[in-house]
Amino acid sequence: MLFTDRTDAGRRLAAALRHLEPRDPVVLGLPRGGVPVAYEVARELGAPLDVIVVRKLGVPSHPELGFGAIGEDGVRVISEEIVRHAGVRADDVVSVERTEEAELLRRAHVYREGRPRLPLEGRAVVVVDDGVATGATARAACQVVRAQGASYVALAVPVASPDVAARLADDVDEVVCLSTPSLFSAVGEWYRDFSQTSDEEVVSLLGRAAQGTVTTEEVEVDAGGVPLAGDLTLPPDAGAVVVFAHGSGSSRNSPRNRSVAVALNRAGLGTLLFDLLTPGEEVYRANVFDIGLLAGRLADTTRWLRNRVALPVGAFGASTGAAAALRAAAASDSVIGAVVSRGGRPDLAGADLSLVRAPTLLVVGGADTTVIDLNRQAQLALHCENRLEVVPDATHLFEEPGALDRVADLARDWFTAHLSP
């Protein structure tokens, strides 16, 4: 596989990393050449971007040949085999390490321009480079990331030597590599344009990414005096925010809702994913289907949110959460400006459907025939602007390839059109 340049490689690599979006990853680029690739990955995934600074330790008589690498926090990887075969003396190892450590510290300071290093504790992290030859630098980077507390480490590169890619799989949770050509001698051979990346370009890309960073804050929602855990994400200059009401048996960690939320964030919409019930309440199954209770919690949460961010509010409901969203939107004092239902049970909102004023989009899977009928019946009861969209061949959970992406696109367009300030 031949890449036009690092931008092209990054975009193609991002497409292969879509499955990591629900993990809300941090993307780390290996300077310098890995940063333009990582920038495209972070942009496409809507993820924060930082550098992972490591330095190759080159054999003094042949600097291009690395006998190891060092990284931040004192991580050190040495290939004893190369040291032995290249005849690198112990004092040479110390000298090269001392020189490279000084350069490592300098680059980390220059690249971040005083910004703090992104915290990795408990996060999924994608380490990105423009390619892997010996693997020493990539291995050091992944070990640094693990030492900084990452819960999941993926190494993502456009091209790599097949044997090295296989070895690196032992150091990480996942290796994503677009091409492992059998005839591999250098990374640059697989790019039409492999011109050197400058420090200035690295600084510029990190600065641009920092300006558009989407941050997620853990919050405690006050739902009528009941504290509920939530995750509030606000892109820079967000024009509106969408509250997610999950379905029966789910929570704010629902991978499907999080996948849709990432797509909304990328479009400049804020999101609040929160638990409708406390851990103690979830024990009693009847609470999961108590639409009145759930709708009340959602209504309280939307008012709490409006007081906090002063933005138009929409509601995204799944399964029974859709009924809760519609009943909350039917209240005379509701602040919900638009509703989207995914595979929902709007019929459970009952007579309140006729009181809903917020524009409502009902999205159902084409293979979910029973729910399609229930949504058509509910649509007849709605007196507000509404539309029913059927995603062809999709089942209730939209697990088919491309189905959930279609839901996200429909929700994005609906909220963008109806929540304009």
Side-chain angles (χ1 to χ4, degrees):
M1 182 181 293
L2 187 64
F3 304 99
T4 303
D5 53 20
R6 291 182 178 90
T7 298
D8 171 52
R11 289 173 181 168
R12 289 204 245 173
L13 193 57
L17 291 164
R18 289 287 184 197
H19 64 285
L20 292 178
E21 278 185 315
R23 290 181 176 269
D24 189 25
V26 173
V27 176
L28 302 180
L30 274 158
R32 291 174 295 200
V35 174
V37 182
Y39 176 81
E40 297 300 327
V41 170
R43 188 174 67 86
E44 292 294 328
L45 299 185
L49 174 68
D50 199 357
V51 284
I52 177 70
V53 186
V54 297
R55 293 292 296 170
K56 180 173 66 177
L57 304 176
V59 174
S61 60
H62 187 26
E64 288 303 310
L65 175 61
F67 65 83
I70 57 172
E72 294 179 273
D73 290 347
V75 174
R76 178 176 180 266
V77 179
I78 301 292
S79 170
E80 298 298 341
E81 182 181 1
I82 295 178
V83 168
R84 184 171 60 255
H85 287 168
V88 182
R89 298 175 304 179
D91 56 342
D92 289 333
V93 172
V94 173
S95 176
V96 172
E97 278 194 62
R98 186 180 298 118
T99 300
E100 295 301 338
E101 183 178 12
E103 180 64 10
L104 183 148
L105 295 174
R106 183 194 72 81
R107 289 198 179 198
H109 176 75
V110 169
Y111 293 151
R112 295 195 179 102
E113 291 190 310
R115 291 185 298 271
R117 188 175 65 206
L118 290 180
L120 305 182
E121 183 72 33
R123 298 293 299 273
V125 177
V126 183
V127 177
V128 179
D129 203 356
D130 55 9
V132 170
T134 67
T137 302
R139 179 174 290 109
C142 293
Q143 290 185 355
V144 168
V145 166
R146 191 76 79 184
Q148 291 173 353
S151 61
Y152 187 92
V153 181
L155 174 65
V157 294
V159 61
S161 164
D163 58 329
V164 171
R167 288 201 304 270
L168 287 172
D170 295 332
D171 298 306
V172 296
D173 297 292
E174 180 180 5
V175 173
V176 177
C177 182
L178 302 183
S179 180
T180 53
S182 56
L183 298 176
F184 182 98
S185 59
V187 172
E189 293 180 347
W190 303 97
Y191 287 81
R192 288 193 178 94
D193 178 4
F194 198 64
S195 53
Q196 187 174 14
T197 302
S198 66
D199 282 347
E200 290 74 20
E201 183 179 357
V202 171
V203 171
S204 174
L205 290 173
L206 290 173
R208 284 161 58 187
Q211 290 174 5
T213 295
V214 177
T215 58
T216 297
E217 175 188 4
E218 292 185 2
V219 295
E220 185 176 87
V221 175
D222 180 5
V226 178
L228 300 171
D231 296 321
L232 177 62
T233 302
L234 291 175
D237 302 320
V241 61
V242 176
V243 182
F244 281 70
H246 55 76
S248 55
S250 188
S251 72
R252 74 183 191 280
N253 296 316
S254 160
R256 286 173 289 278
N257 280 351
R258 285 193 173 273
S259 180
V260 173
V262 167
L264 298 185
N265 297 153
R266 194 180 299 125
L269 294 166
T271 54
L272 173 64
L273 294 104
F274 76 108
D275 291 333
L276 284 162
L277 299 171
T278 66
E281 291 170 334
E282 290 175 347
V283 174
Y284 299 97
R285 188 67 177 165
N287 287 332
V288 174
F289 296 94
D290 188 337
I291 305 302
L293 171 64
L294 303 181
R297 293 282 172 84
L298 184 59
D300 289 336
T301 298
T302 57
R303 286 189 286 270
W304 171 87
L305 185 60
R306 275 296 295 269
N307 291 332
R308 183 183 176 98
V309 298
L311 291 171
V313 175
F316 182 97
S319 190
T320 53
L326 287 165
R327 184 169 289 186
S332 59
D333 60 348
S334 173
V335 298
I336 296 174
V339 177
V340 173
S341 163
R342 171 182 66 81
R345 290 291 310 276
D347 56 296
L348 295 178
D352 286 328
L353 286 171
S354 64
L355 302 176
V356 176
R357 300 180 303 279
T360 299
L361 174 66
L362 308 173
V363 186
V364 188
D368 198 6
T369 53
T370 300
V371 175
I372 289 177
D373 291 339
L374 293 172
N375 274 255
R376 284 177 176 152
Q377 294 171 26
Q379 190 181 21
L380 294 174
L382 289 169
H383 296 163
C384 59
E385 177 187 351
N386 64 83
R387 193 168 87 229
L388 174 64
E389 285 279 351
V390 178
V391 179
D393 302 319
T395 52
H396 185 63
L397 295 179
F398 297 89
E399 295 176 308
E400 294 71 27
L404 197 58
D405 290 337
R406 178 59 179 158
V407 173
D409 290 343
L410 290 167
R412 176 201 62 206
D413 294 345
W414 191 262
F415 286 128
T416 300
H418 294 95
L419 292 179
S420 300

